[in-house]
Amino acid sequence: MERLVDTEDEVMLRDAARGFLDENAPVSALRANRDAGQAFDPGLWREMAQMGWAGVLIGEDHGGADMGHRAAGILAEEMGRTLAASPFLSSAVIAASALRAAGSDRLGQIAEGAALYALAVDEGPKHAPDLTAMEARPEGNGFRLKGRKVFVADGASADRVLVLACSGEGDEGLTLFDIDAGRAGLSRKGADSIDARDFATLEFEDVEATGEDVVGEVGGGLAALAPGLRAGQAALAAELSGLSAGISAVTLGYLKERKQFDRTIGSFQALQHRAAHLFAEIEVTASAVAHAGRVLDHEPENAQLAVSLAKARATQTAKLAVMEGVQMHGGIGMTDDYDAGFFMKRARVGAEWLGDYGHHAAIVAAARRL
């Protein structure tokens, strides 16, 4: 596969994002956030919002930049290069896409960076929205939500939560709700995520939801959620692609400096072959990621195959990249003094979030059988 070439506008966006992130969100900033007990730097997020990143998928009529999914992917990819932590995927990508499709009036708040969202979908160890069991019991003109959601990205810091719950029988019984995170009966417990990000478990104990909280239609939760999930999966694939390129650059720098037997280890042919193989895998994955973003921009309803292919490839490439990075660093690659371990931890979390390799490979395999 020949790598898809960035347009002139995409090159400019990438260069601007890379310059900003290199200066303001290097890997050392992730370490500082972790040591300070915060999942991300609120000041950094405000600056991202001022540059239009929070509104990348929001129309200009709501104060957004409306640059599209390919642009969102470029931003996510550059964030992956430096492991920049922010609510970008949860709010600017997933929530913005789902709420835009539903015509929500909260898009302006997201574009400003004022509203932070979390997506509460998973209830078990694997991503399976169609198996949602959380109860949305009809009561009067609204519902009462009862159940638990796990592995909720940005769940402890979000202002609002998109939550999928079972409001009826059968496949048409799932409904998506947009809930204030401070609503009575909703409790949140942060988890010690290995990638030093905000993941939480949310408990809903008879949380009130009105008709105005419904996103889309009652019983149409999967359809309402689909635009957000596709967008989030594509952007996460882009982040993992950028992460792969980031750890590769760190590793190549180390190979050029580290000496053994009076020679830089980068001169050893065996390591050169491994580095060349990794480079090729990263390039192919970057093409799959670019393709997914462009299909989302032009044929969003037919984009799931391209999105799942990108997420599956990005997951495997990131796994290869971090393993090679740590191994080529040697034992020090896993120490806290070196950045390689941080890339490995984020790659592991990204592999599971929004569907692991098996989930997306099954979608690709099913499409091949048609």
Side-chain angles (χ1 to χ4, degrees), residues 218-307:
V218 173
L222 290 179
L225 182 59
L229 274 184
R230 286 194 297 263
Q233 289 160 351
L236 181 55
E239 182 191 331
L240 290 173
S241 177
L243 179 153
S244 300
I247 183 58
S248 177
V250 170
T251 303
L252 289 176
Y254 183 76
L255 294 181
K256 294 175 182 178
E257 295 176 357
R258 179 76 168 94
K259 287 187 176 183
Q260 286 184 347
F261 311 111
D262 296 324
R263 295 173 56 188
T264 57
I265 60 176
S267 65
F268 299 153
Q269 193 174 62
L271 296 185
Q272 291 176 355
H273 287 171
R274 289 166 62 177
H277 173 240
L278 176 57
F279 173 81
E281 291 297 311
I282 291 173
E283 287 295 297
V284 174
T285 296
S287 293
V289 166
H291 177 64
R294 287 172 182 160
V295 175
L296 275 172
D297 282 331
H298 300 292
E299 298 180 76
E301 297 302 321
N302 299 316
Q304 188 61 60
L305 176 58
V307 169

Side-chain angles (χ1 to χ4, degrees), residues 22-89:
D22 283 347
E23 181 178 351
N24 297 282
V27 179
S28 58
L30 175 63
R31 184 182 282 104
N33 288 341
R34 180 203 62 184
D35 294 345
Q38 60 181 14
F40 66 93
D41 179 359
L44 177 67
W45 177 240
R46 284 194 295 270
E47 290 188 62
M48 290 179 175
Q50 290 170 2
M51 292 188 295
W53 294 10
V56 64
L57 295 176
I58 295 174
E60 296 180 0
D61 54 333
H62 287 96
D66 203 12
M67 291 187 283
H69 293 278
R70 176 59 186 138
I74 289 172
L75 295 177
E77 188 175 342
E78 294 305 315
M79 291 181 199
R81 278 181 171 268
T82 65
L83 302 180
S86 79
F88 178 75
L89 288 182

Side-chain angles (χ1 to χ4, degrees), residues 129-163:
D130 54 326
L131 298 181
T132 293
M134 179 175 167
E135 179 185 10
R137 184 180 71 253
E139 181 177 279
N141 294 324
F143 299 86
R144 289 284 177 175
L145 307 181
K146 183 178 179 63
R148 171 187 292 183
K149 296 292 184 178
V150 300
F151 202 44
V152 180
D154 299 306
S157 54
D159 307 309
R160 304 193 65 84
V161 180
L162 291 180
V163 56

Side-chain angles (χ1 to χ4, degrees), residues 3 10 21 27 54 57 81 87 94 147 210 220 223 231 235 272 288 295 312 354-355:
R3 178 169 182 177
E10 289 168 356
L21 293 168
V27 179
L57 295 176
R81 278 181 171 268
I94 297 173
T210 68
Q272 291 176 355
V295 175
L354 303 181

Side-chain angles (χ1 to χ4, degrees), residues 160-363:
R160 304 193 65 84
V161 180
L162 291 180
V163 56
L164 190 65
C166 186
S167 57
E169 299 293 333
D171 293 338
E172 300 300 319
L174 300 180
T175 300
L176 185 65
F177 298 91
D178 181 356
I179 302 293
D180 187 327
R183 192 160 296 181
L186 172 55
S187 60
R188 301 182 279 180
K189 182 179 180 181
D192 293 328
S193 175
I194 61 171
D195 64 347
R197 308 293 177 96
D198 174 5
F199 282 89
T201 296
L202 273 58
E203 296 277 359
F204 293 78
E205 186 61 45
D206 289 330
V207 175
E208 181 182 8
T210 68
E212 294 182 354
D213 296 324
V214 174
V215 179
E217 299 180 356
V218 173
L222 290 179
L225 182 59
L229 274 184
R230 286 194 297 263
Q233 289 160 351
L236 181 55
E239 182 191 331
L240 290 173
S241 177
L243 179 153
S244 300
I247 183 58
S248 177
V250 170
T251 303
L252 289 176
Y254 183 76
L255 294 181
K256 294 175 182 178
E257 295 176 357
R258 179 76 168 94
K259 287 187 176 183
Q260 286 184 347
F261 311 111
D262 296 324
R263 295 173 56 188
T264 57
I265 60 176
S267 65
F268 299 153
Q269 193 174 62
L271 296 185
Q272 291 176 355
H273 287 171
R274 289 166 62 177
H277 173 240
L278 176 57
F279 173 81
E281 291 297 311
I282 291 173
E283 287 295 297
V284 174
T285 296
S287 293
V289 166
H291 177 64
R294 287 172 182 160
V295 175
L296 275 172
D297 282 331
H298 300 292
E299 298 180 76
E301 297 302 321
N302 299 316
Q304 188 61 60
L305 176 58
V307 169
S308 287
L309 176 62
K311 178 59 165 65
R313 270 214 63 96
T315 295
Q316 292 300 88
T317 302
K319 180 180 179 181
L320 173 65
V322 297
M323 288 178 63
E324 290 286 55
V326 169
Q327 288 179 17
M328 291 185 191
H329 275 80
I332 61 171
M334 287 303 295
T335 65
D336 199 60
D337 291 334
Y338 281 76
D339 295 338
F342 286 90
F343 285 93
M344 175 172 277
K345 292 170 184 176
R346 179 58 179 171
R348 188 68 190 88
V349 172
E352 293 295 326
W353 189 29
L354 303 181
D356 61 8
Y357 175 83
H359 175 92
H360 291 285
I363 293 174

